[in-house]
Amino acid sequence: MHTTTREALRVSGVLVALATVTSGCSQDTHTGTGNKSPAEHTSPSASNRGLGDILVGGKAVTGSQPTNLPKVPYQRTYTNGPLYAPVTGYRSMAYGRAGLEALYDDALSAGAPGDVATTIEPAVQKAAFDALGDRQGAAVALDAESGKLLALVSTPSYDPAQFSGRSEKDAQAWKSATSDSRSPMLNRALKQADAPAATFSVVVAAAALDQGLYTTVDDATVSPLTYVLPLSTTRVTGASSQCENASIRLALRRSCANVFTKMAAELGQDRLRAAAQKFGFDDDTLKVPLSVAESSYPGDGTTAPEAALTGMGAGDVRATPLEMARVAAAVANGGQLVSPRLVERVTKADGTTQRPETADGGSAGQAMSRGTADALRAALGTGGQTGWVPSGDGDLAASWFIGSAQSSDGRHVAVAVRVEDLPSTAGAEESAGGRAAAEAAEKILASLS
């Protein structure tokens, strides 16, 4: 008896969509800074302040207050803590430090405090945070050319101010945050890698064009509506009758799973893995400068049907929202893979400025040819793809959305959104739930105008 795998998706926005859920909490430790450059920001005198600050849009989103304790003279305070927690991390008298607070402790601790200026843009960050609302998910907005992270959001979030001290109230807040089943202290944008579903079809299409399987995005792909995976009885059926023999252009816009699983089988695992690696998969060294979970493509030992399933972003392929934002950025930026960066500069108390190694941003190599990138960008056009992916137990689902748009000042900005914990019901892909990631992305892109 044949099994049937279906992926129903619809067109909307400027991007691509899909699913998942994980949990955990991790901390980043100090990795130092790179080359010095002329002072770009002058910190207030150390005598007038306690701890150094983390800046967003040139303004401090952190502060400090005296404790009258010799060993720990200042306690950290936060402005809009939940909004910026994925950026700042936390600094606690009782529970240590995480995120930028840990990574740049030498610049932020009392004594000779400095500033850490981030690349985050307040309006874009808030738009992303508000767009996700109470949902469980993540959103990344990335300048496709410079690599600057304009938004880095993970929800549900937490307020680091609630446990920055060492009182019983702080202890209760810490216990609540660390025991919450929804894992508010997990930075889903950077630390959670899951099956990217339909968004991975962009990587597959790029590989097929660069490898010469198809000359243009308008070539017919000779794909049966129901494709049987190699050496298997498992079937993958396109979302609509238009998916039969669909061109790459149409298959991207209709998220035709039959087309991309067949394309993955035609490419073969080795060529598709090599293509994925050009986009940044299988890189366990990426930092922004916060460490990032590895996005991965399955290695040797993967069966032929499993390898084919990666064509629709299923099987063992995994990606973080940051990684899928890089994929969208490569399409928008002539095929160049961008090096993402969160920190612009670190200014010491004496006014000298250091730029982190990641501050140079720019290209991390060519993910695909310029011609392929331009063709895919035209194929996605002003439309895009949303994806609806049920969870394994059939009770919850998630959607992804990736894409890009041009801001009012001419920048190309790539966006990736994943919304989790959605109800999984028959026909839900037609509902607001199925469009959750696309709608959130549209609000983020609207903040750029």
Side-chain angles (χ1 to χ4, degrees):
M1 178 177 177
H2 293 296
T3 59
T4 300
T5 305
R6 294 183 61 91
E7 185 173 290
L9 304 111
R10 294 202 44 106
V11 176
S12 172
V14 187
L15 321 152
V16 193
L18 43 141
T20 72
V21 180
T22 57
S23 62
C25 178
S26 60
Q27 296 187 7
D28 284 275
T29 56
H30 179 68
T31 58
T33 55
N35 297 328
K36 292 183 179 181
S37 64
E40 298 174 17
H41 175 85
T42 302
S43 298
S45 169
S47 63
N48 296 329
R49 56 189 296 193
L51 301 171
D53 285 319
I54 297 172
L55 311 179
V56 174
K59 296 182 179 179
V61 296
T62 59
S64 57
Q65 59 187 21
T67 63
N68 297 320
L69 299 173
K71 291 186 177 181
V72 189
Y74 295 97
Q75 179 178 335
R76 174 63 88 197
T77 61
Y78 294 89
T79 301
N80 295 324
L83 174 62
Y84 294 114
V87 177
T88 64
Y90 62 82
R91 176 179 293 267
S92 171
M93 295 170 64
Y95 306 107
R97 297 170 295 280
L100 293 183
E101 291 277 27
L103 199 61
Y104 293 106
D105 181 52
D106 58 344
L108 297 172
S109 59
D115 288 330
V116 176
T118 71
T119 59
I120 296 296
E121 295 189 359
V124 185
Q125 180 80 1
K126 188 174 188 307
F129 186 76
D130 291 347
L132 287 174
D134 295 332
R135 296 185 176 106
Q136 190 167 296
V140 174
L142 178 69
D143 187 307
E145 296 172 346
S146 71
K148 291 182 180 181
L149 283 162
L150 310 182
L152 187 69
V153 170
S154 178
T155 56
S157 189
Y158 66 97
D159 187 352
Q162 292 186 344
F163 51 78
S164 64
R166 62 178 190 177
S167 68
E168 180 60 30
K169 187 176 180 180
D170 290 282
Q172 292 174 353
W174 173 261
K175 182 178 180 180
S176 177
T178 55
S179 63
D180 191 327
S181 62
R182 299 185 74 198
S183 302
M185 296 182 71
L186 170 66
N187 189 332
R188 289 176 165 83
L190 301 181
K191 302 291 189 180
Q192 183 173 326
D194 293 300
T199 58
F200 192 71
S201 62
V202 175
V203 176
V204 181
L209 290 167
D210 272 353
Q211 291 293 328
L213 268 65
Y214 301 95
T215 305
T216 74
V217 293
D218 293 310
D219 292 346
T221 58
V222 193
S223 304
L225 183 60
T226 296
Y227 173 64
V228 181
L229 301 184
L231 306 177
S232 171
T233 58
T234 300
R235 300 179 179 185
V236 175
T237 302
S240 74
S241 60
Q242 292 181 312
C243 288
E244 185 171 4
N245 300 326
S247 65
I248 290 176
R249 183 191 301 273
L250 184 59
L252 285 171
R253 295 187 177 186
R254 293 291 182 265
S255 298
C256 298
N258 60 314
V259 172
F260 293 110
T261 50
K262 181 175 182 290
M263 198 175 292
E266 291 172 336
L267 282 163
Q269 183 183 7
D270 290 343
R271 285 199 293 180
L272 189 48
R273 184 196 300 122
Q277 289 173 344
K278 288 183 179 179
F279 279 92
F281 284 78
D282 296 338
D283 180 2
D284 61 359
T285 65
L286 181 65
K287 290 179 170 58
V288 296
L290 299 178
S291 61
V292 180
E294 181 181 1
S295 296
S296 60
Y297 187 83
D300 296 336
T302 303
T303 66
E306 289 172 340
L309 279 175
T310 65
M312 54 184 279
D316 290 332
V317 61
R318 296 289 182 268
T320 62
L322 175 65
E323 171 56 30
M324 296 316 298
R326 295 178 82 195
V327 171
V331 174
N333 189 29
Q336 292 282 324
L337 181 66
V338 73
S339 296
R341 57 191 178 103
L342 176 61
V343 174
E344 188 69 50
R345 62 183 179 271
V346 179
T347 304
K348 301 292 187 175
D350 61 4
T352 60
T353 297
Q354 292 177 309
R355 291 172 62 83
E357 293 177 3
T358 57
D360 291 335
S363 175
Q366 195 76 22
M368 58 189 146
S369 69
R370 174 173 287 277
T372 291
D374 292 344
L376 291 177
R377 185 175 173 186
L380 290 171
T382 57
Q385 300 168 285
T386 61
W388 178 252
V389 184
S391 67
D393 59 16
D395 295 328
L396 299 174
S399 63
W400 283 69
F401 195 84
I402 71 168
S404 65
Q406 193 167 14
S407 66
S408 58
D409 59 2
R411 294 176 299 170
H412 288 96
V413 177
V415 173
V417 177
R418 182 180 61 219
V419 178
E420 310 164 9
D421 202 21
L422 299 170
S424 181
T425 58
E429 65 277 356
E430 304 288 346
S431 70
R435 279 185 41 79
E439 291 175 345
E442 288 167 0
K443 292 176 181 177
I444 297 169
L445 293 173
S447 70
L448 298 169
S449 59

